[in-house]
Amino acid sequence: MQSQELRRKFLHFFREKGHTIVPSSPVVPHDDPSILFTNAGMNQFKKIFLGQAVMPYTRASTTQKCVRVGGKHNDLDNVGFTSRHLTFFEMLGNFSFGDYFKKEAIAYAWELSTRVLELEESKIWVTVFEKDDEAYELWKQWVPEKRIVRLGEKDNFWAMGDTGPCGPCSELLYDRGDLFGNATSPLNDVDGERFFEFWNLVFMQFNRDFSGKMAPLPKQNIDTGMGLERLVSLKLGVNDVFQTDILRSLIAQVENISGKTYKSDPAFHVVADHIRSLSFAIADGAQPGNVERGYVLRKILRRAVRYGRTLGLQKPFLGQVADRLFSLMGEDFPELISAKDKIKEILYVEEENFIKTLSRGGNILQTIIDNSKKSESKQISGQEAFRLKDTYGFPLDELLLIAKDNGLNVNLEAFNLLEEEAKERSRASQKELSQEAKVNLFEGFVKKHGTSSFVGYDTLETEGSITGIFQGVNSVERISEGESALIILDKTSFYAEMGGQIGDTGLIVHNDAIFSVEDTTQPFTGVI
Ligand code: SER
């Protein structure tokens, strides 16, 4: 049984039990600012749980597209390195809104796992919240006590985010045997690889507010979530989710594009996983960018590109992987097909921009990494990090990720100090000129070179020519690495400080030269 068949079996089972099949909500929760991405099947039902909305049904079942990066449930750094973590996955779920509660939820979970999915009964273990005697007693009907384990709040109390619906939970785990370690119970299975969690039943009873206080919900509800990819891996008897049909086929596509053979390398896992988060998020209306959700997407994309490079993929390639995804999942999720061109275009532009940044700092970065790996401290110094940013425009965030992937850390304290010093230098170099000096300086300048035209309302990036370089009151022809100066352009997208808004920061780039813009001002009308 593979993804499509198991998905259908799950939904069919709950339809037969009186549940309404509700379509997945988008991975971008447009109406819920408390989360960056849809992280569970229950998100779309939050208002019903809170008693703020009513639906014509009290039982529902879904297969929900989930993205777990950023926020409370963040699996990004694990992806590629464990057998089960994904940033994008499908969560199969059944829900009761003040209808049935623990007894039926447990009985349904047991029936479906053992009779329909035909998982081996003797390998199923369950965990319950340590204070939940009721759940413990109910499970005893199905599972011998030696396979029922009580765990604390960290494992068995589920919350959607820092605020919102929450409650104690009970998990079904599958013992995958000696191959996955010699743990004898979930209690001593440190990395969770042997006792493999595949289904979580949440007994949704409380609403947590901003102060952390929990108030009972108007009704007792059920929210369950089963990872489809994990289930498929169990049914196929394969060691990890990357051997399941959809992900393995995406990996095969990466093999085709790169000409490399897959040997369980993390890089293949990362690309196969990340292409799904990216494509679904873009299809559902998000875009890589500089803040919040967009920033997280950019991070995912850049991680995929970086791992792609370790497979020799130097040019934009994600669009080709996305093509395979469209054919694998487009039938069940037609939004992928409708947004196909948009997805590929956005991926291409983002990839290309990032590749440019990488190649600017690339060689020097590799040397820094190699040297730091050999060092005892396993640290990239503040000077090196600063040089990468200041001279090559290589973003600190990116460096932090790359460092982490290489088992290194970055001396942030020293970095921040250097950055502060650089700002100070640039402020000092343009020490407030007197009004008279400004007039003297720029009146003639404008006559000769014209004014700077501002295009920043329409675009954040543009091409222009340098019309002047000043150090203090001196007009200079050139500046060298490490020096500060005031640069004037004929056309600019940098907004100058005025009307209560601070000046833009960013980069001016010409071939290998990068000028880091710390501030933008308009010292004289028309001069930016
Ligand atoms: N909300 C729970 C989870 O995400 C069960 O669906 O694990």
Side-chain angles (χ1 to χ4, degrees):
M1 285 192 271
Q2 305 221 350
S3 303
Q4 197 172 56
E5 188 186 351
L6 287 165
R7 187 192 292 128
R8 287 175 185 177
K9 268 190 192 291
F10 184 99
L11 296 174
H12 177 77
F13 176 85
F14 283 106
R15 189 187 287 116
E16 298 281 290
K17 303 277 184 208
H19 292 61
T20 299
I21 309 303
V22 179
S24 171
S25 65
V27 289
V28 179
H30 296 288
D31 58 352
D32 189 348
S34 77
I35 42 173
L36 279 180
F37 294 100
T38 300
N39 62 21
M42 54 73 64
N43 294 172
Q44 68 166 315
F45 303 119
K46 182 173 163 184
K47 285 199 168 130
I48 313 181
F49 287 132
L50 295 175
Q52 295 164 353
V54 188
M55 284 293 163
Y57 45 79
T58 55
R59 295 175 173 220
S61 184
T62 60
T63 181
Q64 174 68 49
K65 303 175 282 185
C66 296
V67 169
R68 287 198 171 173
V69 266
K72 190 171 174 62
H73 300 278
N74 182 3
D75 291 333
L76 182 60
D77 293 336
N78 287 324
V79 173
F81 298 95
T82 73
S83 72
R84 63 190 198 282
H85 285 103
L86 294 168
T87 61
F88 175 93
F89 64 99
E90 268 184 78
M91 184 184 278
L92 298 160
N94 58 292
F95 305 90
S96 152
F97 311 114
D99 187 321
Y100 60 85
F101 200 45
K102 290 183 192 178
K103 181 163 181 275
E104 295 84 347
I106 287 174
Y108 289 158
W110 187 252
E111 185 185 342
L112 180 67
S113 300
T114 57
R115 306 275 170 274
V116 180
L117 303 174
E118 296 176 329
L119 293 171
E120 222 173 292
E121 282 191 35
S122 63
K123 293 196 172 153
I124 299 177
W125 288 59
V126 295
T127 65
V128 297
F129 181 50
E130 57 198 358
K131 296 181 193 144
D132 194 348
D133 295 332
E134 189 188 355
Y136 190 95
E137 288 306 312
L138 287 165
W139 271 119
K140 266 167 53 183
Q141 185 183 342
W142 311 104
V143 181
E145 275 190 79
K146 65 173 198 300
R147 296 207 312 270
I148 308 176
V149 176
R150 288 179 191 262
L151 289 176
E153 193 167 323
K154 189 176 142 286
D155 295 292
N156 278 58
F157 195 94
W158 197 85
M160 168 178 159
D162 293 330
T163 61
C166 54
C169 61
S170 172
E171 293 178 341
L172 285 85
L173 318 175
Y174 195 78
D175 180 2
R176 298 198 287 173
D178 298 346
L179 207 62
F180 294 88
N182 45 18
T184 51
S185 133
L187 288 170
N188 56 25
D189 188 17
V190 188
D191 55 13
E193 286 286 312
R194 172 164 182 167
F195 292 89
F196 189 70
E197 177 202 336
F198 66 96
W199 202 350
N200 186 18
L201 319 179
V202 184
F203 311 125
M204 207 57 102
Q205 280 165 284
F206 304 104
N207 181 22
R208 187 150 51 190
D209 69 14
F210 284 103
S211 68
K213 215 171 76 223
M214 290 198 295
L217 289 172
K219 287 180 182 151
Q220 292 182 318
N221 310 287
I222 289 296
D223 149 34
T224 89
M226 180 196 283
L228 175 64
E229 296 77 2
R230 293 188 184 190
L231 173 67
V232 181
S233 77
L234 288 179
K235 284 307 297 176
L236 293 178
V238 291
N239 292 351
D240 61 63
V241 290
F242 299 101
Q243 315 294 328
T244 58
D245 52 338
I246 295 174
L247 287 161
R248 185 61 185 88
S249 180
L250 290 169
I251 288 174
Q253 177 73 340
V254 181
E255 287 183 294
N256 288 342
I257 305 169
S258 66
K260 297 258 159 50
T261 309
Y262 169 61
K263 293 189 205 86
S264 282
D265 343 30
F268 284 97
H269 300 165
V270 167
V271 175
D273 167 77
H274 290 10
I275 194 66
R276 299 209 300 170
S277 285
L278 291 164
S279 302
F280 276 102
I282 296 171
D284 287 343
Q287 275 210 30
N290 276 334
V291 289
E292 297 187 337
R293 192 174 283 148
Y295 181 66
V296 176
L297 282 187
R298 184 162 278 170
K299 232 157 114 164
I300 302 177
L301 182 133
R302 292 179 167 194
R303 195 166 184 261
V305 171
R306 279 203 325 273
Y307 278 95
R309 284 166 84 87
T310 68
L311 300 173
L313 297 165
Q314 303 281 343
K315 296 208 187 91
F317 66 94
L318 290 174
Q320 282 170 272
V321 190
D323 276 332
R324 176 68 65 91
L325 176 68
F326 303 148
S327 59
L328 289 164
M329 297 188 76
E331 189 186 332
D332 290 302
F333 299 94
E335 63 272 33
L336 281 178
I337 307 295
S338 329
K340 212 167 154 174
D341 295 340
K342 182 170 128 191
I343 294 171
K344 289 182 67 170
E345 191 183 324
I346 291 177
L347 290 175
Y348 187 84
V349 171
E350 275 287 318
E351 266 184 286
E352 208 182 31
N353 277 338
F354 184 50
I355 288 169
K356 274 192 207 148
T357 307
L358 280 181
S359 49
R360 284 201 297 260
N363 290 340
I364 169 159
L365 176 66
Q366 199 49 53
T367 316
I368 290 175
I369 288 174
D370 293 344
N371 290 340
S372 309
K373 273 183 165 168
K374 282 184 221 141
S375 76
E376 213 168 289
S377 62
K378 302 275 174 264
Q379 189 174 62
I380 295 176
S381 72
Q383 280 90 334
E384 286 163 332
F386 182 72
R387 194 163 123 83
L388 276 170
K389 178 175 170 246
D390 203 47
T391 313
Y392 298 98
F394 202 86
L396 178 67
D397 276 336
E398 218 47 57
L399 181 65
L400 290 175
L401 285 177
I402 295 173
K404 194 167 174 192
D405 287 342
N406 282 282
L408 300 169
N409 57 53
V410 179
N411 187 340
L412 283 175
E413 218 172 295
F415 172 88
N416 289 334
L417 214 65
L418 288 168
E419 195 165 55
E420 211 27 65
E421 278 172 21
K423 278 192 188 151
E424 207 37 63
R425 272 202 307 276
S426 99
R427 274 181 223 126
S429 85
Q430 302 162 30
K431 263 266 181 284
E432 282 296 295
L433 297 172
S434 69
Q435 195 51 35
E436 196 190 340
K438 283 179 191 166
V439 173
N440 286 342
L441 204 55
F442 295 117
E443 210 171 31
F445 179 85
V446 170
K447 278 198 192 122
K448 190 161 170 206
H449 299 284
T451 52
S452 315
S453 73
F454 176 66
V455 296
Y457 291 122
D458 301 317
T459 175
L460 296 178
E461 216 169 279
T462 189
E463 278 186 24
S465 302
I466 295 177
T467 50
I469 307 178
F470 285 87
Q471 289 189 307
V473 291
N474 305 318
S475 164
V476 296
E477 279 296 309
R478 60 180 63 242
I479 47 171
S480 310
E481 186 182 334
E483 287 183 358
S484 304
L486 186 152
I487 287 188
I488 305 167
L489 300 165
D490 63 343
K491 187 167 144 206
T492 180
S493 51
F494 286 92
Y495 183 84
E497 175 179 340
M498 100 190 85
Q501 285 204 49
I502 59 165
D504 278 347
T505 60
L507 297 175
I508 297 176
V509 182
H510 176 68
N511 295 339
D512 288 341
I514 298 183
F515 182 81
S516 166
V517 178
E518 306 285 354
D519 196 7
T520 307
T521 59
Q522 181 163 275
F524 186 79
T525 314
V527 176
I528 298 177

